[in-house]
Amino acid sequence: MDCFREIEGKQAHDPLFHKMNKPSRRVFVPGPIIVGAGPSGLAVAACLQEKGFPSMVLERSSCIASLWQLKTYDRLRLHLPKQFCELPLMGFPSEFPTYPTKEQFIDYLETYARKFEIRPRFNETVSHAEYDKVIGFWRVKTVGKRFEETEYMCRWLVAATGENAEAVVPEIDGTGEFGGDIRHTSYYKTGKEFTGKKVLVVGCGNSGMEVCLDLCNHSASPSLVVRDTVHVLPREILGKSTFGLSMWLLKWLPMRLVDRFLLIVSRLMLGDTARLGLDRPEKGPLEHKNGSGKTPVLDVGTLAKIKSGDVKVCPGIKKLKRHTVEFLDGKMENFDAIIFATGYKSNVPSWLKEGDMFSEEDGFPKRPFPNGWKGECGLYAVGFTKRGLLGASMDAKRIAEDIEWCRNEEAASYDHNHRSVLLMKSSSP
C-alpha cells in the first residue's frame, strides 16, 4: 500500500527510529488491532466483520475467552439471564437455559468466533503499544511463546483486555508462615479437593458466595471474610430475573424508587442480612453500583447456608500464622486453606503508553460510561463499562460504527485531494 511505503520512507530519515531496538519482525496491519480475545474483543471483531472491515485480534493465551476457559470454577453459570449476556449479531441457542453454564457459554463464544471468521493470533502478549505521531500509526509490540518479538503497525487500536485481566491477591502479614493451601479463585475448580477441610474464603462478591456454597456441597467447612458492606438480592423476584425487572422498572421510575423497591422485596424474601454480618451500603444497590462499580450479590443459595451455620461470617484478617488466622476482632482460628475471591483488575497501564484516555491508577477509561469507549488518534476501549457483557456489546457497536465513519471520511478526503491534483495537472500548460 502507498501509505506503508510512505511510512518506510519517513522511517529511513528518522534518526530516532534507528536508535530503537528493532523487533525481529515488523507487520503493517491495514485494519484495526484488537488486544484481547475475550467476549469484548470478539464482539468488536464481529461488528467490524459485519461491516466488511477485517481486524487482527492479538491474544496472550492459547484460546479465546481464556478467563472463562482456564480460570473459572466448574459450577459457574451466567449470573444474569442469557438475553442480557448475548453478544451483538448472534443470540444464544433457544435450547440453552435462562442461566447458561460455563461450558454452554464457552461453546457459544467458540461458535460466535467461527461464524464471524475471527481467528486470533494466540500466544502473543502485547508488551508495548504507543502512538507514533510522526507517521500517524500505532506501534504495537508483542512477545511470542518462544520470546520472538513482533511489531505491528495500525491506524486503529482497540484495548479489549477488559476489567478482569489480572487476579488481585491482597498482601497479608504472615502469608509465608501459613503453610496451608493459599490460592485465588482463578485456580479454584471444585470443592472436591477440600472435602472435610476448613476453608477460609476472602471476599463476599458473587464468586466468594458461590465458592462457599460449592464447598458446602462437597462437605467442606467454609468461613467467609466480609470486609465491606454488600447488597445481597434474590436472583429472581416472583419468577422474574431481579436484574431484568430492575431494568424494566427503570424505564418508568427514578433509580432511588427502584432501589427502595428492591430493598423492601429483598428484606421480605431474604430477611435482615445485617443480622448475618452482611451490612448493606448506605446507597441502594443500583445507585451503589453506578457510583462504585460494585455489583450486588445475586443469591443462589449461600444465604441459607449462612443462616443454618454451615457458612460462618468472619471480619477482616489481621495476620496469618501457621495454619492459623488472626482476625481484626482479635479472635484466632485454624484453617486448612485460604481462597481469595478478591476479583481482578485491568492491566492496560502495563502495556499501553498514553496518558489521556486510561487512568494509571486503576487502568479504566477516565471518562465514565457511556463516554469511555473512544480516545484520541484511533484509540478505543471495550469491556471497561462495569456493566458486564451488555455494556461491552454496546461499546463494540459504537466502535465499529466510528471506525467505519473514519474510514469513509478518510477515503472521501483522499478522493477529493486526488481529483484536485489531477485537475491541476490537466489545467497546467
Side-chain angles (χ1 to χ4, degrees):
M1 295 177 66
D2 292 340
C3 63
F4 293 154
R5 283 198 292 270
E6 182 180 349
I7 291 170
E8 290 175 340
K10 290 180 178 179
Q11 290 173 347
H13 297 88
D14 183 358
L16 291 177
F17 175 80
H18 293 285
K19 291 181 181 179
M20 296 169 61
N21 292 325
K22 293 185 179 181
S24 57
R25 195 163 66 104
R26 182 169 292 109
V27 179
F28 292 101
V29 180
I33 285 181
I34 301 168
V35 183
S40 298
L42 297 179
V44 177
C47 290
L48 288 166
Q49 182 71 11
E50 191 260 346
K51 295 180 177 296
F53 208 126
S55 60
M56 176 182 287
V57 182
L58 300 176
E59 169 57 45
R60 65 179 177 179
S61 188
S62 59
C63 59
I64 64 168
S66 61
L67 179 67
W68 281 86
Q69 297 213 49
L70 306 177
K71 298 181 179 181
T72 50
Y73 43 91
D74 294 345
R75 64 161 286 135
L76 179 64
R77 287 177 174 267
L78 292 178
H79 292 121
L80 302 182
K82 60 183 179 182
Q83 65 265 31
F84 298 108
C85 300
E86 60 189 25
L87 300 185
L89 309 171
M90 187 181 117
F92 282 94
S94 58
E95 65 270 19
F96 274 24
T98 302
Y99 301 93
T101 65
K102 164 185 170 178
E103 290 75 19
Q104 288 172 327
F105 185 57
I106 292 171
D107 179 66
Y108 166 75
L109 294 177
E110 290 179 336
T111 302
Y112 189 87
R114 288 194 298 271
K115 177 178 179 179
F116 294 102
E117 300 179 342
I118 304 169
R119 301 181 182 89
R121 299 183 68 90
F122 295 117
N123 299 307
E124 288 211 43
T125 301
V126 175
S127 59
H128 188 97
E130 190 168 7
Y131 186 71
D132 190 325
K133 295 181 180 179
V134 175
I135 61 176
F137 270 64
W138 286 91
R139 296 182 182 273
V140 183
K141 296 181 180 179
T142 68
V143 179
K145 195 173 184 179
R146 297 178 180 177
F147 303 103
E148 68 276 15
E149 295 183 354
T150 304
E151 182 180 68
Y152 297 94
M153 303 182 71
C154 61
R155 172 67 180 81
W156 300 279
L157 178 63
V158 182
T161 47
E163 304 165 9
N164 303 317
E166 306 291 344
V168 174
V169 179
E171 295 182 5
I172 299 177
D173 186 24
T175 299
E177 301 176 28
F178 181 70
D181 187 352
I182 298 180
R183 68 177 73 177
H184 189 268
T185 47
S186 55
Y187 294 98
Y188 175 92
K189 294 299 179 184
T190 173
K192 287 181 180 179
E193 59 184 304
F194 297 99
T195 299
K197 295 182 178 181
K198 290 186 65 176
V199 184
L200 184 64
V201 179
V202 182
C204 60
N206 280 297
S207 294
M209 290 285 207
E210 197 158 356
V211 165
C212 281
L213 181 60
D214 190 53
L215 288 165
C216 284
N217 292 340
H218 288 93
S219 302
S221 299
S223 295
L224 178 68
V225 170
V226 180
R227 300 171 298 171
D228 202 355
T229 56
V230 58
H231 277 299
V232 182
L233 306 177
R235 186 168 72 170
E236 294 185 342
I237 296 174
L238 300 176
K240 301 292 184 181
S241 154
T242 300
F243 179 82
L245 183 60
S246 301
M247 295 300 100
W248 182 80
L249 289 172
L250 284 173
K251 295 179 181 179
W252 312 99
L253 300 172
M255 184 178 294
R256 289 190 177 182
L257 282 182
V258 178
D259 270 341
R260 188 174 300 176
F261 167 80
L262 292 175
L263 291 175
I264 292 172
V265 173
S266 296
R267 180 69 177 257
L268 292 172
M269 294 180 65
L270 304 178
D272 183 7
T273 59
R275 291 185 177 182
L276 304 174
L278 302 170
D279 294 321
R280 293 186 181 276
E282 291 185 5
K283 294 182 179 179
L286 299 180
E287 193 176 358
H288 185 65
K289 165 71 173 172
N290 268 4
S292 68
K294 293 183 179 179
T295 303
V297 172
L298 297 175
D299 181 53
V300 293
T302 309
L303 213 57
K305 296 294 184 181
I306 294 175
K307 291 177 181 178
S308 67
D310 292 319
V311 176
K312 180 181 176 182
V313 174
C314 304
I317 300 172
K318 182 178 181 180
K319 66 166 58 176
L320 303 180
K321 298 179 182 179
R322 181 70 179 172
H323 287 286
T324 304
V325 177
E326 181 180 349
F327 296 101
L328 292 175
D329 61 2
K331 294 181 180 179
M332 301 179 71
E333 192 170 346
N334 294 334
F335 290 96
D336 299 300
I338 298 175
I339 298 172
F340 287 110
T342 42
Y344 296 82
K345 64 180 180 180
S346 165
N347 69 357
V348 171
S350 69
W351 58 268
L352 181 60
K353 305 307 172 185
E354 64 86 43
D356 296 325
M357 184 176 184
F358 283 88
S359 166
E360 286 288 334
E361 294 181 6
D362 62 7
F364 278 74
K366 294 178 181 179
R367 291 193 294 176
F369 179 85
N371 302 311
W373 60 276
K374 183 178 180 181
E376 300 295 328
C377 305
L379 178 63
Y380 300 93
V382 61
F384 298 90
T385 64
K386 298 182 181 180
R387 284 163 174 77
L389 296 168
L390 188 62
S393 296
M394 293 169 64
D395 281 353
K397 295 174 185 176
R398 292 189 183 106
I399 291 169
E401 290 170 358
D402 196 70
I403 290 177
E404 181 184 43
W405 180 85
C406 289
R407 179 186 61 176
N408 293 339
E409 284 291 302
E410 290 176 0
S413 176
Y414 174 82
D415 289 342
H416 174 75
N417 293 336
H418 186 63
R419 285 196 297 270
S420 297
V421 171
L422 291 177
L423 286 171
M424 289 176 64
K425 288 182 177 180
S426 62
S427 61
S428 61

